Amino acid sequence: MVCFFSSTITCICGSLILLALVSETSGSSPGGFIGTRNTQFVLNGSPFFFNGFNSYWMMSVAADPTESYKVSNVFRDARTAGLTVCRTWAFSDGGDRALQISPGTYDEKIFQALDFVISEARNYGISLILSLVNNYNDYGGRAQYVQWARSAGQQISDDDGFYTNPVVKEYYKNHVKRVLTRLNTITGFVYKDDPTIMAWELMNEPRCEVDYSGKTLNVWIQEMATYVKYLDNKHLLEVGMEGFYGDSMPDKKQYNPSGYLVGTDFISNNLIKEIDFTTIHAYPDIWLSGESDDSQMAFLQRWMESHWTDSRMILKKPLLFAEFGKSKKDPGFNISIRDSFLNTIYSNIYNFARSGGTIGGGLVWQILAEEMESYYDGYEIVLTQNPSTSRVITEQSHLMTTLCHIRPQGTDSL
């Protein structure tokens, strides 16, 4: 395990933490586009370290005027806990409360709900990572795009045709353009010009079963990343990857959980120059189901360390730990187990960041408001109802904020 931070550093940072408490709850706008320099995230020319969260449901909930206050409540509670980055969906393809009803046809009411989400994030000083399509069938995803193309006469054998069929790819590009060039009816900003948005994500957890090498996905990422950057060169871009290694460096497959070959390649997929930073997800309670807590935590340590090292030394890009959590559905679960799990991850993130930068922060899965039981997936955290977990999250927010003022040891010159 990486060593915990020293008491000396804690003492040095004491006054900065007090300052951070003031700034974190001020609700001010982020005030500039978040960028990268070497292996660091930067904001207004200074290092940017952060603590954040996932709330994928925001647009869908905001579409109901009687429910939209829940979006505001989450941003308020998150800001109180010092969370400054939120990852959420900018897609809903077909089905209930669809943003994209059919290819190129959009529901203005749902788009205005996304306008509201971005506006509220801006009001609370929270930066957004917006994902553009799902790998899975929830909210439409790849399967919906393929079905639309089949209905238009395309012969596509499976959902992996999403990555290769020219009609499907054109549907996706049209969605990208529609979102990036959207004029926010509340803020007056075109999305691609809005600094509230930190980054675009090409896809939530892309996978490709017809080609485990990662090459098919590589071609798709290159094409779509080039297109996104053609439309918008102000915002950062990431793939949305879980972090599984592929064929480009076979020896690194030892770090994958057993049996997880999903058609991605953490190295080659992220070497594409238009991709600005790397991402990993981790769910050891799912990936290593049935194994002991000690075994799962040992895996997690190796997972984090290998990706931090590769992002720093091979890819030379910042790393974001974009999804992690501990499920209440696990046998023997209790809140203290979850708090310990989060503490371990947060300590690793902090120590990796302090000892060499590269990792900018982590996004816990997932934060909900009160009275959202229908969205419970086992990983839910309601900050106002989980005081011990809220304290763990808040402390991490304060520690990451201090790193914005203290240059991490061993970092390259910014």
Side-chain angles (χ1 to χ4, degrees), residues 152-211:
Q154 294 294 301
Q155 301 297 314
I156 307 175
S157 60
D158 53 58
D159 290 346
D160 286 324
F162 177 90
Y163 300 115
T164 57
N165 181 272
V167 172
V168 175
K169 289 194 291 182
E170 198 62 28
Y171 288 165
Y172 177 80
K173 286 181 180 178
N174 288 342
H175 177 65
V176 169
K177 183 176 182 180
R178 191 67 171 262
V179 172
L180 271 59
T181 60
R182 164 77 178 180
L183 176 66
N184 192 310
T185 57
I186 301 173
T187 67
F189 277 98
V190 174
Y191 285 12
K192 66 185 182 68
D193 298 325
D194 190 346
T196 304
I197 298 168
M198 172 181 173
W200 304 110
E201 178 178 279
L202 291 178
M203 176 184 286
N204 173 51
E205 298 188 342
R207 294 183 177 188
C208 180
E209 294 183 1
V210 299
D211 179 8

Side-chain angles (χ1 to χ4, degrees), residues 255-399:
Y255 297 108
N256 289 346
S258 178
Y260 277 79
L261 286 174
V262 300
T264 64
D265 186 318
F266 180 76
I267 301 298
S268 65
N269 295 163
N270 283 306
L271 275 172
I272 292 169
K273 68 181 181 63
E274 289 83 3
I275 299 302
D276 296 300
F277 62 96
T278 70
T279 64
I280 58 170
H281 301 177
Y283 293 99
D285 52 355
I286 297 175
W287 297 352
L288 281 70
S289 178
E291 296 194 21
S292 68
D293 286 345
D294 287 346
S295 178
Q296 291 181 12
M297 292 310 297
F299 161 80
L300 186 61
Q301 176 64 29
R302 293 192 301 270
W303 187 252
M304 294 181 69
E305 187 164 3
S306 64
H307 288 86
W308 177 74
T309 300
D310 292 339
S311 295
R312 180 171 171 77
M313 304 303 295
I314 299 174
L315 300 168
K316 303 186 186 303
K317 296 178 181 181
L319 167 66
L320 169 65
F321 198 166
E323 283 191 31
F324 55 89
K326 184 72 171 175
S327 176
K328 293 179 179 178
K329 299 177 182 179
D330 292 345
F333 174 88
N334 60 55
I335 296 298
S336 65
I337 290 176
R338 180 177 68 188
D339 291 349
S340 177
F341 175 83
L342 293 180
N343 253 324
T344 299
I345 290 179
Y346 284 149
S347 296
N348 283 337
I349 289 173
Y350 175 79
N351 281 287
F352 282 136
R354 183 169 67 88
S355 65
T358 302
I359 189 165
L363 310 179
V364 68
W365 185 280
Q366 62 160 329
I367 303 296
L368 295 175
E370 296 179 3
E371 301 178 351
M372 291 187 67
E373 285 79 6
S374 64
Y375 287 88
Y376 282 10
D377 59 359
Y379 295 92
E380 69 279 351
I381 298 170
V382 180
L383 292 169
T384 54
Q385 295 178 348
N386 294 265
S388 65
T389 305
S390 183
R391 284 193 295 272
V392 170
I393 291 171
T394 301
E395 177 64 14
Q396 175 71 1
S397 299
H398 296 162
L399 289 170

Side-chain angles (χ1 to χ4, degrees), residues 214-263:
K215 293 179 181 178
T216 294
L217 195 58
N218 229 52
V219 173
W220 183 84
I221 293 169
Q222 180 65 76
E223 180 177 350
M224 299 311 167
T226 300
Y227 184 69
V228 170
K229 288 295 187 178
Y230 165 74
L231 293 174
D232 177 5
N233 61 7
K234 296 178 181 177
H235 287 104
L236 300 178
L237 178 64
E238 47 100 350
V239 180
M241 294 181 62
E242 297 159 277
F244 302 121
Y245 290 101
D247 285 357
S248 66
M249 300 183 74
D251 60 308
K252 292 192 175 293
K253 291 182 183 179
Q254 65 181 300
Y255 297 108
N256 289 346
S258 178
Y260 277 79
L261 286 174
V262 300

Side-chain angles (χ1 to χ4, degrees), residues 16-51:
L16 290 173
I17 289 175
L18 293 175
L19 290 173
L21 279 167
V22 175
S23 63
E24 286 169 4
T25 57
S26 65
S28 60
S29 173
F33 288 95
I34 296 168
T36 64
R37 190 177 303 157
N38 298 324
T39 61
Q40 299 286 322
F41 291 102
V42 293
L43 176 61
N44 298 324
S46 298
F48 179 61
F49 295 95
F50 53 88
N51 195 23

